[in-house]
Amino acid sequence: MEQSINRNEASADIAYLGYRGAQNARHRWMFSLLLLPLSGAYLASYFYLDLVARDGVLTREECYALAFAYLAGVALLALVSGRLPLTSDRRLNCRLDNAWIMLPLIGAAMLTTLDAHITDASAYVVICLPLAVLHSAERTQLLALQGTGLVLTWCSVIAFETITGPPQIMFLLALAAISAAGAYLAIHLETARRQGFVSTHALEASNLALLERTAQLAQLNTELAERSRALETANQQLERLAMTDPLTGVANRRQLFEALDREFGRSRRYGNPLSIALLDLDDFGRTNKLHGVIAGDEVLAQFAASVRNQLRGVDMVARYGGEEFVVLMPDSSLPAAMQLLERMRQHICQESFSSRHIAITFSAGVATLTPEDSDPMNLLHRADESLRRAKQEGKNRVLADCS
């Protein structure tokens, strides 16, 4: 957690350097946009009033004109450099911004020195305080800039002796107070700017991380849903495999007994008829010996399909074991079941099975539910008895339960 916080702080520091460069370039351009016409107007007024004598001797008015010309040149330089950072190197941009700030401070020192005789520090205030408000830099750099501007102005005032004695001391102290106020203001504004940027950067980083986590969570949910669907499909396939005979594709014994219990209970509740038939292919062992086990499997699969195609939708055919099959017929009386099985027997006799065109027959025993049946297996046992009688009486026939 601590490493993550440190990484975020380092990232915010790097990003703030870029933000600082962009802000300084924009503020420099805006400040120069005001400074250029103001300096140009003062400079033009000196020429218009013919206060520049050009006689080789610098008068106070000519010094003012030089100061305004210097400030106009500084402003023009900033406007030409544009509203974007000068280089792609963020740290180099900070150094260049600090270097440019010194240029108008020199102009402020020039004007303040010229105005010292009337103890007027307005030029110093007009130039230094806006720069303190607009310029963004480290705390030590802000202090160094304000201190450098103050020292330049002090040295200029003392050197040119435009004011002397106690008034000079009071004036210099006033300049120091203005610089101190500018430094205080600059540091507090920079602290607020930095904190605001870092907070915004941290919030954006948190939002980005949240979006990434949300995207990851959505992807995980999608993958989980896909796996759930795949698992559900696999479970359905396993359920079908568990309930289906793999060779013939019809129901196996497990599904048969579940359906038999279900239909037995339903018939007992509502009094509906229920019939069951047990089918056995005649002489199927000889078929395997003559044509092979593979051909025998083909016969079983095609026979099961043929039986299923002749049943109703509510009926069920299941492989009981080997070549034995069971047909469960809900809502079917004994005569209706006998009629269906006889029609099925005749149809099978007319068909040929497997690629070897093997002719087969089957015998079947049919039983229907009676009031005496307390167990569904009784129904199956009576159908088995009928099947044995059909085998004993010559095969290829359908017999009903005598009871």
Side-chain angles (χ1 to χ4, degrees), residues 67-310:
F68 286 122
Y70 171 80
L71 289 174
V74 171
L76 184 61
L77 177 64
L79 291 176
V80 171
S81 65
R83 288 180 287 182
L84 298 177
L86 298 176
T87 69
S88 58
D89 189 331
R90 297 173 180 178
R91 298 190 181 277
L92 179 58
N93 279 328
C94 291
R95 296 189 183 98
L96 293 175
D97 291 339
N98 292 335
W100 182 86
I101 286 295
M102 289 304 304
L103 299 179
L105 289 179
I106 294 173
M110 295 168 60
L111 290 176
T112 304
T113 301
L114 294 171
D115 290 338
H117 70 286
I118 56 173
T119 61
D120 184 4
S122 59
Y124 193 80
V125 174
V126 168
I127 294 177
C128 292
L129 286 185
L131 291 177
V133 171
L134 297 176
H135 186 62
S136 176
E138 298 295 335
R139 177 179 299 185
T140 55
Q141 294 173 354
L142 292 172
L143 289 173
L145 289 172
Q146 290 294 327
T148 302
L150 177 63
V151 170
L152 284 175
T153 307
W154 274 5
C155 292
S156 179
V157 171
I158 294 172
F160 286 96
E161 296 182 349
T162 52
I163 185 173
T164 58
Q168 182 188 68
I169 296 174
M170 296 300 295
F171 186 69
L172 295 178
L173 290 177
L175 294 178
I178 295 171
S179 294
Y184 177 83
L185 188 61
I187 290 172
H188 278 267
L189 287 175
E190 175 63 17
T191 301
R193 276 194 293 259
R194 186 183 186 86
Q195 289 178 348
F197 180 85
V198 170
S199 299
T200 303
H201 186 273
L203 182 60
E204 290 176 351
S206 300
N207 289 338
L208 181 60
L210 181 61
L211 289 176
E212 291 177 354
R213 294 291 178 86
T214 303
Q216 292 175 357
L217 182 60
Q219 183 178 0
L220 290 176
N221 287 336
T222 302
E223 293 177 358
L224 181 61
E226 292 176 354
R227 292 183 181 182
S228 298
R229 286 194 294 269
L231 181 60
E232 183 178 357
T233 302
N235 288 335
Q236 292 175 354
Q237 293 175 349
L238 288 175
E239 184 69 19
R240 283 197 297 270
L241 291 175
M243 305 288 282
T244 304
D245 177 63
L247 175 62
T248 61
V250 298
N252 59 11
R253 290 171 67 99
R254 175 185 172 186
Q255 187 176 1
L256 169 66
F257 290 141
E258 290 181 0
L260 181 58
D261 286 339
R262 183 174 61 252
E263 294 300 333
F264 180 84
R266 195 171 69 89
S267 296
R268 279 286 182 234
R269 283 195 304 274
Y270 302 110
N272 298 330
L274 174 65
S275 297
I276 194 169
L278 186 60
L279 287 65
D280 183 79
L281 273 64
D282 297 327
D283 302 319
F284 187 71
R286 187 174 62 183
T287 300
N288 276 338
K289 289 180 181 179
L290 290 176
H291 301 284
V293 176
I294 295 178
D297 288 346
E298 291 179 355
V299 169
L300 289 175
Q302 293 177 14
F303 172 77
S306 179
V307 171
R308 182 170 52 194
N309 290 336
Q310 297 177 65

